[in-house]
Amino acid sequence: MNKLYILGALFIVILLGITWQMAGGILGGKDYMGALALLGAAATAIIAVVVVTKYVRQMQMDTASGELAEENWDGIGEYKNELPFGWAIIFAGLVIWAVWYFVAGYPVNAYSQIGEYNEEVATHDAEFNAKYADMDADTKVEMGNSVFIVQCAPCHGLAADGIDGKAANLNQRLEVTTVKYVIENGSNNQLLGTEMPMPDRNGLFNANTGALITDAEIDTVSKYVANGMKGAGADIFAGTCAACHGADGMGQPYVAPSVAAFTPELVVNVLNHGKKGAIGAMPAFANLTDIQKEALGAYVTSLSK
C-alpha cells in the first residue's frame, strides 16, 4: 500500500482519537445533539483526508491529457476540460438550497427576535394609547414633561432654554436667528408637516413696497416676530407674511404654521418630520407614540405661556 494512504489513515485515526478524547463525554443520555455533532466531526475529518489524499495522489501519478485551448500565455496553455458532473450537481443543489433558505427557511419564514420585539412594542403602544386616550389637559402636560426630560432635555436642556444656543429655546416661539434663517432660506413640507412650502427671500414680496423683501426689512420683521409680534415691523409682517401666517401670526391649517406661539399641532409636526434650522438639524422621533407626541405638544405649548 502506498505510504500516502497509510499516512492518511493514520491521520484519521489520530484526529478521531483527539476528537473522542475532547468531546466523547457528550455522548449518552437523551440529548442526541452531542452524538450528531461528534458524528459530523468524524465525517468531516474522514472526507477531508480522503479527498486530500486522492488529489495529492492524482497530482503525483496522473498526466495531463485533452485538447488545449488556442490561447496561451508565455507558452502555458489551458486544457478544454468539461465541467465535472459532480461539480454541476453540487452547484445546482446549492442554488436550490439557497433559494429555499431565503424564501421558505430562515430568515424569511423563521422566528426572529427583532420581529418578536417589534410585535411586543406595537402591542404595548396600542395598549398605552388606549389607556391614555382620554387624558385631561393637566395630565397631558405632566406626561409631556416626563417625556421631555428623557427625549428632549439632552439637547434643549431641562429648562428648555436650548443650553446656550445649542438647540432652540422652547420658552419662546422663535428666536431672531431662527426667523431670519427661515426668511432667507425658506422651508419645506418636511419642516412644516402638512403646510405648503415657504419660498426663500427671492419669493417674498412686500405688498407695501411692491418689491422683494430687503435685508433691512428682514432684520426688522425677524425681531418683530421673535419679540412676540410686538414692536417695529408690524407693517412689514402685514405686507409680506400675513397672507400665509395670518394677521395675528397664528398660522392657517394646511397653509403655514403659527409663528406667534407654539401649538400642539405644530410640535407634533416637528416631532413627525424633524426640523432643519439655523443651528442644526433635529431628527424625527418615530419611537414616540401618538399620545406621547400630543403630550409633548401640550407641554411645550405650556412653556411659552
Side-chain angles (χ1 to χ4, degrees):
M1 182 181 290
N2 187 283
K3 66 177 182 178
L4 184 63
Y5 294 131
I6 297 175
L7 290 174
L10 183 61
F11 183 76
I12 290 175
V13 171
I14 295 173
L15 193 59
L16 292 179
I18 295 174
T19 303
W20 177 264
Q21 183 69 26
M22 297 182 65
I26 63 176
L27 296 178
K30 296 182 179 180
D31 185 7
Y32 62 90
M33 295 305 296
L36 288 178
L38 190 60
L39 180 62
T44 301
I46 294 172
I47 293 172
V49 172
V50 169
V51 171
V52 169
T53 302
K54 175 183 180 301
Y55 282 105
V56 169
R57 180 67 177 170
Q58 185 175 326
M59 285 188 292
Q60 290 178 337
M61 303 300 296
D62 290 357
T63 56
S65 61
E67 181 184 358
L68 282 171
E70 295 181 3
E71 298 84 0
N72 67 82
W73 295 267
D74 297 330
I76 300 174
E78 183 178 10
Y79 285 102
K80 295 181 178 180
N81 295 326
E82 295 292 333
L83 179 69
F85 181 74
W87 288 17
I89 294 298
I90 293 174
F91 181 76
L94 286 174
V95 171
I96 294 172
W97 176 84
V99 172
W100 169 86
Y101 180 80
F102 283 105
V103 175
Y106 185 86
V108 176
N109 195 36
Y111 168 77
S112 168
Q113 286 184 325
I114 296 176
E116 182 183 29
Y117 172 78
N118 290 335
E119 291 176 0
E120 291 176 352
V121 169
T123 301
H124 177 272
D125 287 349
E127 294 174 352
F128 181 89
N129 288 336
K131 180 178 179 180
Y132 294 102
D134 299 320
M135 284 189 295
D136 58 43
D138 292 338
T139 304
K140 189 173 287 188
V141 170
E142 184 178 351
M143 177 189 288
N145 183 19
S146 299
V147 177
F148 182 90
I149 290 173
V150 176
Q151 299 287 345
C152 313
C155 292
H156 292 280
L158 286 173
D161 56 1
I163 312 180
D164 298 327
K166 295 179 181 178
N169 180 358
L170 302 180
N171 293 286
Q172 65 183 80
R173 171 63 183 97
L174 289 168
E175 297 177 296
V176 174
T177 54
T178 302
V179 180
K180 188 172 182 179
Y181 177 86
V182 175
I183 293 175
E184 292 180 339
N185 297 279
S187 64
N188 54 32
N189 284 328
Q190 187 178 27
L191 168 62
L192 300 177
T194 55
E195 288 83 9
M196 297 171 58
M198 172 179 166
D200 61 21
R201 62 178 300 166
N202 295 312
L204 296 178
F205 283 86
N206 186 342
N208 299 324
T209 63
L212 288 173
I213 192 169
T214 65
D215 289 338
E217 290 172 336
I218 291 175
D219 289 337
T220 302
V221 78
S222 297
K223 294 175 183 177
Y224 171 76
V225 172
N227 195 37
M229 313 291 289
K230 299 175 183 178
D235 56 331
I236 302 172
F237 186 89
T240 309
C241 316
C244 293
H245 292 283
D248 57 357
M250 289 302 295
Q252 301 181 68
Y254 305 105
V255 178
S258 168
V259 294
F262 280 111
T263 64
E265 295 77 16
L266 172 64
V267 177
V268 171
N269 268 346
V270 174
L271 291 171
N272 284 334
H273 302 282
K275 180 178 181 293
K276 183 178 180 182
I279 57 177
M282 170 182 161
F285 280 77
N287 60 314
L288 298 178
T289 67
D290 292 340
I291 295 295
Q292 289 174 320
K293 292 175 183 176
E294 292 177 12
L296 265 175
Y299 174 70
V300 173
T301 300
S302 72
L303 291 177
S304 60
K305 294 181 179 180

